[in-house]
Amino acid sequence: MLRGMYALVDASHSPPRVTVPREYNAAVDFVDRHVAEGRGGKVAFLDDHGSITYRELTERVARAGHALRALGAGLEQRVALCLRDTIDFPAVFWGALKVGAVPVPLNTLLTTADYTFLLRDSRAVVVVVSDELLAKIEPAARASPFVKHVVPASRLGALLDAAPRELEAASTCADDVAFWLYSSGSTGTPKGALHLHSHLVQTAALYARGVLGIREDDVVYSAAKLFFAYGLGNAMTFPMHVGATAVLVAERPTPAVVMRTMRERQPTIFGGVPTLFASILADPAHDRASGSARLRVSTSAGEALPAHVGTRWRERFGSDILDGIGSTELLHIFLSNRHGDVRYGTSGKPVPGYDVKLVDDSGEPTPDGEDGALWVRGPSACVAYWAQRDKSLATFHGPWTRTGDRYVRDEGGYYTYAGRSDDMLKVGGIWVSPFEVESALAAHDAVLEAAVVGHADEEGLVKPRAFVVLEDKARAGDALAAELKAFIKERLAPYKYPRWIVFTDELPKTATGKIQRYKLRVG
Ligand code: 3UK
């Protein structure tokens, strides 16, 4: 009976042929299938505390599904996950999905104010949270009229042990909304991207198998956490599609933590972001010998990988980095470098199964060598943003998604990143809205107004730089700059703070008073 519930993937074609049955619950395909295919004894995940086989995970997922349903998470209702990377994440994510509830992973680095918005916007009825994050989540949960239960991860064990070990999957269909992922908006308001049950197998087949070439004997480690679409694919859905093993680490991925994990776990595939690759390379002691001797390929996404970082990594680590661009909206990577055809400094070529186009302002294709707006079409594009009609209309045009990125294609067909068409910044691979940082700066009583733009650091990677106009010019100086940085770190997710503060007498503005950020970007 289960047979007909799996997606069929024929990876011998380009693009791989993916057939998803109409009646389809992704948890059956990604979790239960492994036991049915005789892979039950294989380790699915290793985390800081232990490991779990596919058989044990199947049981854990079933118990989590029962427990969530008993707590009031019904069909189509949201379950928020504010979890560090441990085995609890896949257990709760798939448990929710299997009973037809909708898991919503949340960025674990945010503030109570952010969570207050996210819990209300998603109307999550259950929140599962790492104990360390409980203090930030609890006030937000209390402020939401929808949350029925907040479950600290430390209570999951007892809760799951008390639940039945077998669970019939909710009879969802391939086009049902399966999970949401939030993406930051330019005004600072996050947008919930709605993804379907069929999307996970599409990204796994087209990108992970078709381009990355993931296999059953791989050990995957992603420094990008599971709550990002990038990490979710890297360390959960991709390895789980082929029955590989994933390494999960709860700690912040500092170069030391990443190198220690490489050494101890010997991954064959590593997923990182440009800032991390650059900071690992900054220490000459970091190389293949002090890392994983089994590393065969790494991936980079989130922002463009500078060419010199790729070439230096290749020299030092004896394997390539495949830079590829993905998005929360498309779920994973749709334009990428590939094995044997790596052009550092570019995002490579379209992932077979996705179409991209570069267009000018009137929607006409731009010729090779000229930059244009990047649009993408593919079978994993989210269907809309939750309850944001205007933003959905501005982004989704029939089967096409506007990425907001500008790209140039050369005659060889390789695509090179050429900046954003809005003011949004990618910092360490994570969105930062200049508007949000400016508003937070303006809340400081010394600040009259502020403008925030991207500025390249010594590695060529963008970080926020603030131009600040003071109420009283005489206060300008290093002491106030340090105070403003600390002020932002306290009020916003810390990665959003401006790395440089420039005091200025006035900001360039249009006749209508709009800040001309582009004028501040130069120099
Ligand atoms: C930028 C890149 C240049 C680009 C993501 C892989 O980053 C991911 O999703 P987000 O929604 O951001 C999407 C935006 O980030 N970007 C991402 N990768 C690259 N720019 N080169 C790159 N290689 O502006 C894009 O529109 O946070 C990445 C897989 C899944 C993802 N969600």
Side-chain angles (χ1 to χ4, degrees):
M1 163 218 140
L2 286 180
R3 262 271 123 237
M5 291 187 76
Y6 306 146
L8 292 175
V9 176
D10 181 352
S12 65
H13 292 84
S14 181
R17 288 192 188 146
V18 185
T19 318
V20 187
R22 173 76 186 159
E23 258 182 59
Y24 178 77
N25 183 310
V28 174
D29 198 5
F30 280 79
V31 185
D32 304 3
R33 177 169 52 90
H34 299 292
V35 175
E37 291 179 352
R39 228 174 273 110
K42 174 143 192 218
V43 172
F45 291 97
L46 294 152
D47 74 4
D48 300 335
H49 305 289
S51 64
I52 191 166
T53 64
Y54 276 101
R55 180 175 300 104
E56 291 163 341
L57 181 66
T58 304
E59 184 180 315
R60 209 86 192 130
V61 166
R63 290 178 187 269
H66 279 292
L68 291 168
R69 199 157 55 190
L71 291 175
L75 209 61
E76 293 164 22
Q77 285 185 306
R78 269 73 66 196
V79 173
L81 277 68
C82 195
L83 288 173
R84 296 231 160 114
D85 281 19
T86 70
I87 289 166
D88 292 336
F89 190 111
V92 174
F93 182 94
W94 292 113
L97 206 124
K98 193 166 179 185
V99 294
V102 177
V104 184
L106 303 179
N107 181 336
T108 58
L109 307 170
L110 302 179
T111 63
T112 296
D114 296 322
Y115 294 126
T116 302
F117 173 85
L118 293 168
L119 293 181
R120 293 181 76 108
D121 186 65
S122 64
R123 304 199 186 114
V125 291
V126 178
V127 188
V128 185
V129 54
S130 293
D131 291 63
E132 305 90 313
L133 304 168
L134 196 56
K136 287 201 291 182
I137 284 284
E138 258 181 339
R142 273 197 300 274
S144 164
F146 310 105
V147 174
K148 296 181 195 164
H149 294 280
V150 175
V151 183
S154 60
R155 277 196 42 220
L156 270 177
L159 202 65
L160 267 53
D161 289 345
R165 65 168 76 191
E166 275 177 28
L167 169 69
E168 194 172 331
S171 57
T172 49
C173 79
D175 290 343
D176 268 319
V177 172
F179 61 102
W180 298 9
L181 290 169
Y182 274 96
S183 180
S184 307
S186 52
T187 55
T189 309
K191 303 162 288 188
L194 312 184
H195 281 288
L196 308 182
H197 276 265
S198 62
H199 291 178
L200 296 166
V201 66
Q202 294 287 357
T203 56
L206 301 180
Y207 171 73
R209 283 176 68 171
V211 170
L212 182 58
I214 193 171
R215 312 184 298 240
E216 189 174 344
D217 62 350
D218 274 314
V219 175
V220 183
Y221 168 45
S222 173
K225 300 295 184 196
L226 293 169
F227 65 77
F228 295 117
Y230 179 47
L232 189 79
N234 292 346
M236 193 177 83
T237 62
F238 297 171
M240 288 187 71
H241 181 61
V242 295
T245 300
V247 174
L248 301 177
V249 178
E251 267 173 289
R252 204 163 67 86
T254 60
V257 167
V258 171
M259 290 305 294
R260 188 194 69 212
T261 307
M262 293 263 212
R263 207 158 42 241
E264 290 176 2
R265 305 296 202 187
Q266 297 286 305
T268 57
I269 300 181
F270 172 66
V273 297
T275 310
L276 177 63
F277 288 112
S279 57
I280 290 175
L281 288 166
D283 184 342
H286 293 156
D287 58 10
R288 190 172 182 89
S290 60
S292 171
R294 292 198 307 200
L295 187 67
R296 65 183 179 90
V297 66
S298 301
T299 62
S300 177
E303 60 185 315
L305 181 78
H308 70 274
V309 177
T311 28
R312 273 195 288 153
W313 183 273
R314 187 116 225 116
E315 286 161 21
R316 204 97 73 70
F317 285 80
S319 55
D320 274 314
I321 302 177
L322 303 183
D323 182 13
I325 171 178
S327 71
T328 306
E329 288 78 358
L330 267 294
L331 188 54
H332 218 275
I333 291 170
F334 49 84
L335 185 58
S336 179
N337 282 278
R338 62 202 64 189
H339 295 278
D341 187 17
V342 173
R343 293 279 174 103
Y344 286 123
T346 81
S347 306
K349 295 179 174 176
V351 170
Y354 293 88
D355 299 310
V356 306
K357 62 180 180 183
L358 296 179
V359 297
D360 64 19
D361 291 344
S362 49
E364 292 304 312
T366 51
D368 287 351
E370 279 177 33
D371 75 313
L374 178 73
W375 292 49
V376 56
R377 174 169 69 179
S380 59
C382 69
V383 292
Y385 296 128
W386 175 254
Q388 303 243 34
R389 187 65 183 138
D390 289 349
K391 285 180 183 161
S392 297
L393 283 169
T395 306
F396 309 109
H397 303 259
W400 291 94
T401 300
R402 254 173 67 171
T403 64
D405 297 301
R406 302 193 66 78
Y407 263 83
V408 184
R409 194 180 97 131
D410 65 21
E411 308 94 78
Y414 297 88
Y415 287 75
T416 301
Y417 180 70
R420 290 283 306 169
S421 44
D422 56 20
D423 291 318
M424 292 295 282
L425 307 178
K426 264 313 185 77
V427 179
I430 317 180
W431 283 127
V432 173
S433 149
F435 176 80
E436 188 188 8
V437 183
E438 289 161 3
S439 310
L441 279 168
H444 190 284
D445 58 13
V447 176
L448 184 63
E449 57 179 353
V452 171
V453 297
H455 184 72
D457 66 11
E458 57 286 352
E459 294 290 350
L461 295 162
V462 164
K463 302 283 180 290
R465 173 153 86 156
F467 290 82
V468 172
V469 182
L470 295 174
E471 296 272 1
D472 172 9
K473 268 203 254 182
R475 288 190 65 187
D478 292 348
L480 184 59
E483 185 180 322
L484 290 175
K485 290 180 189 178
F487 184 75
I488 296 301
K489 280 192 193 173
E490 240 166 60
R491 314 192 119 219
L492 302 180
Y495 60 84
K496 297 175 182 173
Y497 87 96
R499 308 305 193 268
W500 307 273
I501 300 227
V502 182
F503 296 105
T504 177
D505 289 345
E506 60 178 337
L507 298 175
K509 291 202 182 132
T510 62
T512 54
K514 199 170 178 284
I515 298 172
Q516 295 166 304
R517 292 198 188 86
Y518 70 92
K519 289 200 173 159
L520 297 169
R521 256 177 234 137
V522 286

